């Protein structure tokens, strides 16, 4: 098969999972020519991730996607967050958010929403396009794919690897992926169940069960009679990664854990995963960036992986647009690694800790450790700390080039603002993906005019923000809060002044 003509784009995105779709949508919103390449013929229909954490909800709402999320969610009642399934809910409301609960949204439905949005924005996904080779040069990256039309190649100024835990880009670039190998294998299966399930087994979160036979299960309803069962057990923990999950294996788990009154009629989709915990040392390799599971993998404890990927993409997308479209300094792209690498490193620590605490072992003082931690979670400050980490609401990024201020680097909550006597939510100002400059004092900021094509500048009133004016990046983080240095800050994050 001969290689077809190379097609030129600005950014090549490899992988159309949640990470790749968010990244591509941000690029499409900014009008940056990009293409998404995915090896699969259609979206992965398996539910997999089930929880959207509060910071992810906030960023989805920054682009007006919350209604779509709630329409597709399994249950709109407020769920508590949890740490390691311990019986004290994490209280997210102390973090000044409009969305203080995880939303129960199966991953396939989030991906459907994101794909619809990408299509609406004119973005392009090429399915059955499997990346097989990669070449970096001084000016860009060439990606070679196999497709139903034969071998094709694409040239982009940048390539972003969103190709998941077994990333081909990682292998092709030789990027080291240090960490811990998996010690146990578990499985996740979307099931049609029959018979009676003890109602306490189907609560949406915190229903982790262990059985004397060594089974560990978490059962959640997906709606329309479907359930997701995450499980490990004597047979499962030794299975090969690619071994099919059988109906007999699932039945044995169900009967051992919930009794024989419940049975499985159909295993609709299933896959295996492990507790391997790894992270790239560098998220940038020349003109190639890594985001989502291609950059970090861990046990899916506490519902973090997809959230991390979506947030990685949301951090990187507008920065790529600023460089490609607005001529921002290339070094802006290094802030992606600087800001996002520590976040995933912390999640790896938290998931390993939870894996240890949630394990089925009862010896070695683990029960006592659970009791101690449960007690500590009752303390407001301990609960707040973990709630901030698990929800992603405590993130604060370093903000160079700005005058010091206590708000710098923090996320901007979705406050109500009074704009020309109308009540407006902050998230209504961010739909276009531009930065937002809020004039909250008496004198409007005038020196941002040369960046007006990249900013939404609004005179507003609110008691919630203690500053005369704030500049908020497209990803919702405050990068300037009055004082000196506005022009430098604008140049740093948004590129040089126009004209
Ligand atoms: C049982 C389970 C439960 C989970 N629960 C949660 C949860 O509650 N909350 C949470 O946040 N996370 C959860 N996760 C983790 C979550 O599923 C992953 O973190 C998420 O899928 C990562 O998204 P991604 O887009 O980075 O990668 P993926 O979803 O893996 O997408 C990668 C894409 O790249 C494509 N691709 C791969 N190789 C190539 C190639 N060579 N060429 C072209 N395309 C390629 C694939 O086809 C795929 O579409 C869970 C995971 C499991 C297994």
């Amino acid at each position: 098969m001969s290689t077809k003509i190379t097609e030129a784009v600005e950014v090549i995105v490899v992988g159309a999972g949640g990470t790749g779709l968010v990244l591509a949508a941000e690029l499409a919103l900014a009008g940056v020519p990009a293409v998404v390449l995915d090896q699969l013929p259609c979206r992965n229909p398996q539910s997999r991730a089930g929880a959207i954490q509060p910071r992810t909800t906030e960023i989805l709402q920054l682009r007006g996607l919350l209604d779509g999320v709630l329409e597709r969610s399994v249950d709109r009642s407020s769920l508590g967050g949890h740490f390691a399934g311990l019986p004290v809910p994490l209280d997210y409301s102390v973090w000044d958010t409009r969305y203080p609960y995880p939303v129960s949204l199966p991953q396939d439905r989030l991906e459907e929403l994101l794909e619809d949005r990408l299509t609406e924005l004119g973005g392009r996904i090429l399915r059955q396009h499997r990346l097989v080779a990669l070449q970096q040069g001084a000016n860009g990256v060439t990606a070679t794919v196999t497709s139903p039309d034969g071998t094709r190649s694409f040239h982009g100024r940048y390539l972003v690897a969103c190709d998941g835990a077994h990333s081909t880009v990682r292998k092709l670039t030789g990027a080291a992926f240090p960490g811990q190998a998996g010690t146990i294998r578990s499985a996740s299966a979307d099931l049609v169940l029959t018979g009676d399930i003890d109602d306490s087994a189907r609560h949406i979160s915190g229903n982790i069960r262990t059985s004397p036979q060594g089974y560990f299960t978490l059962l959640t309803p997906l709606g329309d009679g479907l359930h997701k069962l995450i499980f490990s057990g004597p047979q499962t923990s030794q299975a090969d990664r690619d071994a099919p999950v059988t109906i007999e294996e699932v039945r044995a788990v169900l009967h051992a854990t919930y009794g024989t009154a419940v049975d499985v009629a159909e295993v609709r989709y299933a896959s295996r995963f492990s507790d391997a915990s790894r992270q790239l040392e560098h998220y940038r390799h020349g003109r190639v960036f890594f985001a989502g599971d291609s950059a970090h993998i861990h046990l899916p404890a506490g519902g973090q992986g997809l959230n991390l990927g979506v947030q990685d993409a949301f951090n990187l997308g507008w920065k790529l647009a600023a460089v490609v479209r607005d001529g921002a300094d290339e070094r802006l792209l290094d802030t992606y690694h600087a800001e996002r690498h520590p976040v995933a490193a912390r999640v790896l620590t938290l998931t390993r800790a939870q894996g240890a605490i949630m394990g089925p072992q009862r010896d070695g003082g683990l029960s006592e450790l659970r009791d101690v931690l449960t007690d500590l979670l009752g303390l407001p400050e301990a609960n707040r700390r973990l709630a901030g980490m698990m929800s992603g609401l405590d993130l604060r990024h370093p903000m160079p080039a700005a005058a010091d201020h206590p708000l710098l680097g923090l996320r901007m909550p979705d406050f109500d603002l009074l704009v020309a006597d109308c009540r407006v939510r902050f998230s209504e100002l961010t739909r276009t993906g531009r930065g937002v400059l809020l004039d909250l004092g008496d004198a409007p900021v005038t020196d941002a005019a040369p960046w007006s094509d990249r900013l939404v500048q609004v005179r507003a009133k609110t008691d919630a923000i203690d500053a005369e004016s704030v500049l908020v990046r497209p990803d919702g983080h405050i990068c300037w809060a009055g004082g000196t240095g506005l022009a430098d800050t604008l140049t740093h994050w948004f590129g040089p002044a126009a004209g």
Side-chain angles (χ1 to χ4, degrees):
M1 247 185 276
S2 64
T3 301
K4 289 203 171 173
I5 305 286
T6 301
E7 185 184 326
V9 289
E10 294 285 359
V11 182
I12 301 166
V13 179
V14 185
T19 307
L21 290 170
V22 169
L23 184 77
E26 285 294 284
L27 294 171
L29 185 64
V32 172
V35 65
V36 185
L37 308 170
D38 199 288
Q39 64 187 1
L40 295 177
C42 60
R43 271 196 315 274
N44 184 338
Q46 192 181 340
S47 63
R48 293 160 296 149
I52 301 295
Q53 299 294 347
R55 182 56 188 152
T56 308
T57 306
E58 284 186 347
I59 65 175
L60 292 171
Q61 181 57 355
L62 288 177
R63 299 295 181 261
L65 294 174
L66 184 63
D67 286 348
V69 166
L70 294 179
E71 271 162 30
R72 291 166 173 80
S73 67
V74 173
D75 186 323
R76 295 184 191 186
S77 62
S78 300
L79 310 169
H82 72 94
F83 182 77
L86 295 172
V88 181
L90 298 177
D91 179 7
Y92 293 153
S93 66
V94 297
W95 282 96
D96 217 349
T97 179
R98 203 180 276 279
Y99 318 104
Y101 45 84
V103 177
S104 179
L105 179 70
Q107 183 167 339
D108 56 315
R109 295 182 209 171
L110 176 65
E111 289 176 2
E112 175 193 61
L113 172 71
L114 294 171
E115 188 172 332
D116 287 353
R117 172 171 167 80
L118 178 60
T119 308
E120 273 165 30
L121 291 168
R124 211 159 47 118
I125 304 177
L126 298 179
R127 296 203 175 270
Q128 291 181 285
H129 279 58
R130 188 163 73 88
L131 179 83
V132 291
L134 193 73
Q135 205 175 13
Q136 280 207 61
N139 299 319
V141 187
T142 302
T144 305
V145 299
T146 56
S147 79
D149 298 330
T151 304
R152 300 179 67 181
S153 67
F154 296 82
H155 184 81
R157 275 172 72 181
Y158 298 100
L159 180 144
V160 187
C162 304
D163 56 344
H166 308 289
S167 170
T168 305
V169 180
R170 220 172 45 223
K171 286 164 198 151
L172 292 172
T173 52
F177 201 36
Q180 270 89 22
T183 56
I184 51 154
R185 195 162 300 287
S186 306
S188 174
D190 295 350
L191 308 171
V192 180
L193 296 181
T194 58
D196 289 329
I197 311 166
D198 161 10
D199 244 6
S200 69
R202 320 192 239 211
H203 288 307
I204 290 204
S205 67
N207 57 342
I208 292 159
R209 292 204 177 182
T210 53
S211 75
Q213 299 95 324
Y215 288 109
F216 167 97
T217 61
L218 175 64
L219 186 66
T220 46
L222 299 173
D224 298 332
L226 270 182
H227 286 77
K228 175 171 71 175
L229 182 70
I230 295 179
F231 63 94
S232 63
Q235 190 185 340
T236 308
S237 57
Q238 286 149 33
D240 283 345
R241 188 182 91 199
D242 297 324
V245 176
T246 65
I247 197 163
E248 292 76 22
E249 183 182 356
V250 174
R251 185 170 287 131
V253 176
L254 282 171
H255 287 174
T257 316
Y258 304 107
T260 49
V262 59
D263 205 0
V264 53
E266 184 188 345
V267 178
R268 199 159 284 175
Y269 309 108
S271 58
R272 300 184 190 276
F273 61 92
S274 83
D275 61 343
S277 183
R278 298 182 181 278
Q279 185 181 20
L280 286 175
E281 281 171 357
H282 303 286
Y283 282 10
R284 177 176 189 176
H285 285 239
R287 291 180 169 273
V288 173
F289 294 84
F290 292 86
D293 278 15
S294 75
H296 37 71
I297 55 167
H298 53 80
L299 186 71
Q304 298 290 313
L306 178 64
N307 287 269
L308 267 184
V310 167
Q311 292 177 30
D312 286 349
F314 205 66
N315 185 289
L316 180 59
W318 68 273
K319 292 175 181 171
L320 280 169
V323 170
V324 165
R325 187 193 59 187
D326 305 322
D329 192 312
E330 237 261 335
R331 282 172 297 181
L332 171 61
L333 299 175
D334 293 332
T335 65
Y336 166 63
H337 170 91
E339 292 177 0
R340 293 302 301 170
H341 189 277
V343 180
R346 189 174 77 171
V347 167
L348 260 62
T349 302
L350 288 174
T351 49
R352 281 179 61 75
Q354 289 182 87
I357 297 163
M358 290 157 88
Q361 308 89 324
R362 283 283 178 272
D363 54 357
L366 206 51
S367 296
E368 292 78 3
L369 176 62
R370 284 193 187 98
D371 292 345
V372 171
L373 288 171
T374 301
D375 185 37
L376 289 177
L377 273 181
L379 299 176
E381 191 47 37
N383 194 300
R384 180 178 192 277
R385 182 82 172 263
L386 272 176
M389 295 197 281
M390 297 296 284
S391 62
L393 293 172
D394 69 343
L395 293 186
R396 178 172 201 165
H397 297 317
M399 289 295 152
D404 199 22
H405 191 283
L407 290 176
L408 279 186
L410 296 176
R411 57 179 244 288
M412 175 77 174
D414 195 7
F415 290 135
D416 277 339
L417 304 165
L418 213 53
V419 179
D421 290 332
C422 291
R423 197 166 290 282
V424 171
R425 286 190 182 183
F426 174 72
S427 60
E428 293 175 56
L429 304 175
T430 55
R431 304 280 156 90
T432 58
R434 298 186 196 176
V436 176
L437 181 55
L438 289 180
D439 278 323
L440 303 166
D442 296 332
V445 174
T446 52
D447 33 357
W451 288 269
S452 59
D453 57 331
R454 285 154 269 173
L455 290 180
V456 174
Q457 185 165 357
V458 174
R459 295 203 71 178
K461 291 198 177 99
T462 174
D463 293 333
I465 304 168
D466 190 13
E468 291 281 295
S469 41
V470 288
L471 176 63
V472 186
R473 304 190 319 190
D475 62 358
H477 282 268
I478 298 168
C479 60
W480 180 83
T484 55
L486 178 59
D488 287 347
T489 302
L490 285 163
T491 305
H492 176 78
W493 296 113
F494 297 96

